[in-house]
Amino acid sequence: MASLPVKPLSSGHLQLHRRNLIIPSSMGTVGFKRHNFLGVSSYDLCIDESVRHMRSLRSSSNRWPVSKSAGVSMPVASSDDFPAVSWETWKPEKTTVAPSLSDVIWPAAGAFAAMAILGRIDQMLNPRGISMSVAPLGAVSAILFITPSSPAARKYNMFTAQIGCAAIGVLAFSVFGPGWLARSTALAASIAFMVITRANHPPAASLPLLFIDGAKLHKLNFWYALFPGAAACILLCFLQEIVCYLKENFKF
């Protein structure tokens, strides 16, 4: 068998510059191996994939199995993709600093002063058969005095929700009368109102139910939108400023 002469090429024609290579960081070690074939010097790029990287790829492929039914290929979620049930929400919030005595005394004193003043106003309004200290104001006091920086304590949220939800309660009672239909409609409309207006103030959702079930409040009609909820919140906001000032300047 005749052999063909092969002219050796200069090594300059087949030269691999390492500085022109870009190696992804996810790949393993990189090495160069020299071969001599037919008088030609060449370099092969040897890439060593790490076993850890390959195992991670294999585990991710097992985590997302593929559904091949009816010629459709799509990932199917497995039980490993869903987080485990957490019991942290059933435990007290972990805070770095324990509440000081002033954090306990001043909010409690503010709530006591608020209910005492509202009780005195009730005595003045008793001949007319109406009351100023209604149950939702207790929840409002807790929000204003304990968490004054929460979204529910914002003045816009509080007054918008108090006025709007109270008016919805009066309207629902006027249309449906007393009963479960008026209560359920008023509560659903109140929640929708707070979502649309972005006025997150949960205590206001109880105002429509209070009006529908409270016979002595029916005489107020649409004045219920301003009294007692919104009017009492003005007093509570004033007391909130005093409580915040005392907490900042009189700590013990």
Side-chain angles (χ1 to χ4, degrees), residues 119-128:
R120 177 56 182 163
I121 297 176
D122 284 345
Q123 293 179 351
M124 299 170 60
L125 297 176
N126 191 32
R128 299 188 177 184

Side-chain angles (χ1 to χ4, degrees), residues 209-231:
L209 308 181
L210 180 66
F211 180 83
I212 294 172
D213 295 334
K216 64 179 181 179
L217 298 173
H218 294 167
K219 64 181 70 176
L220 294 175
N221 205 356
F222 279 98
W223 283 106
Y224 180 72
L226 300 176
F227 181 89

Side-chain angles (χ1 to χ4, degrees), residues 93 138-159 198-203 237 240-241 244 247:
E93 185 179 0
V140 176
S141 300
I143 291 175
L144 293 181
F145 299 145
I146 299 177
T147 57
S149 59
S150 64
R154 291 176 59 91
K155 305 303 184 293
Y156 167 80
N157 294 355
M158 181 171 57
F159 285 101
R198 300 179 182 179
N200 180 18
H201 187 69
C237 289
Q240 180 200 26
E241 297 297 329
C244 291
K247 287 175 62 178

Side-chain angles (χ1 to χ4, degrees), residues 128-177:
R128 299 188 177 184
I130 55 178
S131 178
M132 188 75 168
S133 56
V134 292
L137 296 179
V140 176
S141 300
I143 291 175
L144 293 181
F145 299 145
I146 299 177
T147 57
S149 59
S150 64
R154 291 176 59 91
K155 305 303 184 293
Y156 167 80
N157 294 355
M158 181 171 57
F159 285 101
T160 302
Q162 289 275 341
I163 296 173
C165 293
I168 289 173
V170 177
L171 183 61
F173 178 79
S174 302
V175 174
F176 301 105

Side-chain angles (χ1 to χ4, degrees), residues 28-86:
T29 59
V30 178
F32 294 88
K33 187 175 181 181
R34 182 174 179 176
H35 294 278
N36 291 321
F37 179 71
L38 299 178
V40 178
S41 298
S42 61
Y43 289 89
D44 289 343
L45 183 61
C46 301
I47 301 175
D48 182 19
E49 286 286 358
S50 64
V51 177
R52 183 180 302 175
H53 180 64
M54 295 299 295
R55 288 180 177 175
S56 64
L57 292 178
R58 188 181 304 122
S59 62
S60 62
S61 62
N62 293 335
R63 187 177 178 181
W64 293 96
V66 177
S67 174
K68 299 180 179 180
S69 60
V72 179
S73 178
M74 58 183 299
V76 179
S78 62
S79 59
D80 297 336
D81 302 323
F82 298 97
V85 178
S86 176

